[in-house]
Amino acid sequence: MLEIKNMTYEIQDNGQTRTILDDVSLQIEKGKILVITGPNGSGKSTLAKLLMGIIQPTKGQILLNGQDITALSVTERARSGMGYTFQQPPRFKGITVRKLLEIAAGEKLTEEACCNYLSEVGICAKDYLNREADTSLSGGEMKRIEIATQLIKHSEFTIFDEPEAGIDLWSFSMLVETFNRLKARGDRGLIIISHQERLIKMADDIMVLSDGKITKKGKADVVLNQLHCDKMTYSI
Ligand code: ADP
Ligand code: MG
């Protein structure tokens, strides 16, 4: 189980303290999907970065299977079983797509294995394996490659920050299938930050952030009804 307890994140902005996340608590079990949604600027990506250890909270704790991981670095968290994809993935000049996949796998991969992982996100491996993972790739291409690296890793909990961003409809459908398969295997917990109804509908639990605070949290069907009433979702 992954738990966040009373997490607050403050920044100093022109000499003033600004609260980006205010007393956020959540938990997710292995085999479940938690979708976090809410307006732009509500603190969703900040929460994802706090979970992965890219930034440190002002207050609060993160527990992974009961162990306090709040002070662990990104690398230590990755080793403990946490995975993460950025809303805007970084580029890697001089590193090929194949190399990125192999770094994620921790071993050499056959072309067939690379092809299997990339096809899960709608990419034809042969066209991409020897390309550099730099700015020559479009945002949607890099996004899908980054998601593929997380499919290779067997993290116990993986955070996907807006996996739909910049992805075409066809690839998005494949991604939904991939998430469904991951869920069916039941061996990892997925935290998906999204506004897309198709992803939101896959959730076991939904949490809505607004202005750094949790405004809704609970079982998916209940929260989904409330979201429909608030017209907060849209479909692709
Ligand atoms: P979301 O992912 O929900 O769109 P973010 O977590 O990216 O929102 O950002 C939440 C708010 O915090 C935004 O208003 C953003 O501008 C602000 N913010 C986040 N990090 C910083 C920072 N390092 N410095 C200043 N403002 C920040
Ligand atoms: Mg964001």
Side-chain angles (χ1 to χ4, degrees):
M1 172 159 351
L2 180 65
E3 288 172 276
I4 288 186
K5 287 191 171 174
N6 306 104
M7 173 92 62
T8 292
Y9 181 68
E10 295 171 344
I11 57 165
Q12 294 305 316
D13 195 4
N14 282 328
Q16 301 229 314
T17 300
R18 197 174 142 212
T19 304
I20 306 293
L21 283 175
D22 188 3
D23 198 26
V24 169
S25 296
L26 66 84
Q27 58 184 52
I28 170 173
E29 284 169 41
K30 214 154 86 166
K32 302 283 185 194
I33 296 181
L34 167 71
V35 169
I36 301 175
T37 192
N40 289 336
S42 56
K44 305 180 299 297
S45 293
T46 302
L47 183 59
K49 288 177 191 154
L50 284 163
L51 268 172
M52 199 58 211
I54 294 163
I55 52 177
Q56 284 298 318
T58 312
K59 281 184 221 146
Q61 270 184 313
I62 304 169
L63 305 180
L64 177 61
N65 299 322
Q67 186 207 341
D68 190 338
I69 61 164
T70 322
L72 296 190
S73 67
V74 177
T75 312
E76 288 167 329
R77 282 185 214 208
R79 281 201 202 106
S80 313
M82 303 277 298
Y84 171 66
T85 67
F86 285 86
Q87 184 170 350
Q88 282 157 342
R91 311 303 179 111
F92 302 92
K93 197 160 170 39
I95 297 183
T96 62
V97 171
R98 182 180 201 136
K99 186 73 191 163
L100 263 192
L101 297 177
E102 289 182 339
I103 291 169
E107 61 183 10
K108 288 253 175 230
L109 293 172
T110 62
E111 193 167 301
E112 192 191 353
C114 292
C115 195
N116 285 342
Y117 286 116
L118 289 178
S119 63
E120 295 238 28
V121 290
I123 285 180
C124 175
K126 287 198 175 61
D127 298 343
Y128 283 89
L129 280 187
N130 296 319
R131 284 185 61 178
E132 277 190 37
D134 62 7
T135 47
S136 68
L137 292 170
S138 76
E141 287 168 334
M142 193 60 224
K143 186 89 186 166
R144 286 182 284 160
I145 289 162
E146 190 197 30
I147 292 169
T149 64
Q150 285 305 318
L151 300 178
I152 293 176
K153 289 182 191 164
H154 290 282
S155 309
E156 204 176 335
F157 290 95
T158 309
I159 308 145
F160 294 93
D161 194 349
E162 298 202 23
E164 68 266 25
I167 294 187
D168 62 86
L169 188 55
W170 185 73
S171 304
F172 180 70
S173 293
M174 298 185 84
L175 193 58
V176 171
E177 290 307 310
T178 298
F179 284 146
N180 270 324
R181 273 199 299 278
L182 286 183
K183 184 181 169 173
R185 287 216 306 253
D187 60 352
R188 38 171 136 185
L190 306 182
I191 298 160
I192 304 176
I193 296 172
S194 179
H195 305 282
Q196 292 300 339
E197 196 167 12
R198 280 173 75 189
L199 291 179
I200 294 175
K201 278 183 171 163
M202 290 170 53
D204 295 286
D205 291 282
I206 298 173
M207 188 180 108
V208 183
L209 268 181
S210 194
D211 204 15
K213 293 189 178 69
I214 297 176
T215 52
K216 294 181 176 65
K217 185 167 78 167
K219 290 287 154 220
D221 49 351
V222 177
V223 179
L224 206 50
N225 264 335
Q226 296 169 343
L227 285 173
H228 276 301
C229 294
D230 297 351
K231 296 193 170 35
M232 271 184 72
T233 60
Y234 55 94
S235 315
I236 64 170

